């Protein structure tokens, strides 16, 4: 039986690093962070190729990301930070198309050589599809967790819930502080 644990900051603790930036240069730091972070969505992946407009990307404290497109379709996955902490993935359990889930409910899991972790929906939604490529090759989550290893494609039912999530800068600060 798969023993599942929520991805938590305790499990994924990283060394604390402090960034000192004067308020006047904070905005340029955020711009540099966007380009130097390993927690950005992979350009050219199915996540970004879905539509011609750039998706709104947000992050959770459980190290999941969501990329929301203008039509209400979004992709959910785990961050590079989470994939690195999990180690080599060995099994992926995907959600079922048509399932309706509330924010915070489990939509599947990732089993790795180190642990097993539930994946939680960052917003209320209906599952459109799970990523069959990921199901066939669990190792993809270690190669491109923020692109081709997206976990689920969903239809967001409560769009305002996305506003409660972190942007990239806030997520990077969250990681650094834990």
């Amino acid at each position: 039986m798969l023993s599942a644990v929520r991805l938590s900051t305790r499990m994924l603790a990283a060394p604390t690093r402090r960034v000192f930036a004067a308020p006047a240069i904070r905005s340029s730091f955020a711009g540099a962070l966007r380009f130097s972070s390993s927690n950005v969505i992979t350009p050219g992946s199915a996540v970004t190729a879905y539509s011609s407009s750039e998706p709104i990307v947000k992050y959770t404290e459980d190290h999941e990301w969501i990329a929301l497109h203008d039509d209400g379709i979004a992709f959910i996955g785990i961050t590079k930070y989470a994939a690195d902490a999990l180690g080599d993935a060995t099994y992926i359990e995907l959600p079922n198309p048509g399932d309706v889930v509330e924010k915070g409910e489990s939509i599947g899991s990732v089993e790795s050589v180190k642990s097993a972790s539930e994946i939680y929906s960052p917003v209320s939604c209906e599952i459109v599809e799970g990523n069959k490529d990921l199901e066939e090759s669990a190792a993809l989550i270690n190669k491109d967790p923020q692109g081709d290893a997206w976990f689920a494609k969903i239809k967001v039912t409560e769009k305002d819930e996305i506003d409660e999530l972190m942007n990239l800068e806030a997520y990077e600060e969250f990681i650094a502080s834990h």
Side-chain angles (χ1 to χ4, degrees):
M1 173 144 210
L2 179 65
S3 170
V5 248
R6 182 180 274 258
L7 291 175
S8 72
T9 54
R10 286 184 300 276
M11 182 179 113
L12 301 173
T16 302
R17 85 187 147 158
R18 296 180 182 257
V19 177
F20 297 97
I25 59 172
R26 188 164 180 71
S27 62
S28 52
F29 170 71
L33 179 64
R34 205 175 5 260
F35 295 108
S36 65
S37 173
S38 60
N39 289 301
V40 296
I41 301 300
T42 306
S45 68
V47 175
T48 57
Y50 172 78
S51 71
S52 59
S53 63
E54 199 166 313
I56 297 168
V57 180
K58 298 285 186 141
Y59 302 84
T60 72
E61 290 183 359
D62 294 318
H63 307 284
E64 291 124 358
W65 57 264
I66 182 170
L68 174 65
H69 292 272
D70 291 339
D71 63 356
I73 294 293
F75 292 81
I76 297 172
I78 65 170
T79 64
K80 172 123 175 57
Y81 181 83
D84 289 347
L86 284 169
D88 295 334
T90 57
Y91 175 77
I92 306 291
E93 180 184 272
L94 295 174
N96 297 314
D99 283 357
V100 176
V101 297
E102 296 296 315
K103 176 183 177 180
E105 285 184 24
S106 175
I107 57 171
S109 61
V110 177
E111 187 174 333
S112 73
V113 295
K114 292 183 181 178
S115 68
S117 297
E118 294 286 320
I119 305 298
Y120 298 93
S121 181
V123 294
S124 299
C125 63
E126 178 180 346
I127 304 297
V128 174
E129 68 179 289
N131 185 348
K132 295 296 183 192
D133 291 339
L134 182 58
E135 186 175 51
E136 292 171 11
S137 177
L140 184 58
I141 208 154
N142 300 107
K143 294 177 185 161
D144 189 15
Q146 295 197 204
D148 290 333
W150 55 273
F151 197 78
K153 182 177 175 183
I154 64 168
K155 176 71 175 170
V156 176
T157 56
E158 299 292 332
K159 289 186 183 177
D160 59 323
E161 290 176 343
I162 197 133
D163 297 332
E164 300 167 14
L165 303 173
M166 294 179 277
N167 64 18
L168 178 61
E169 180 181 6
Y171 178 67
E172 293 285 345
E173 289 174 4
F174 171 76
I175 291 170
S177 69
H178 288 84

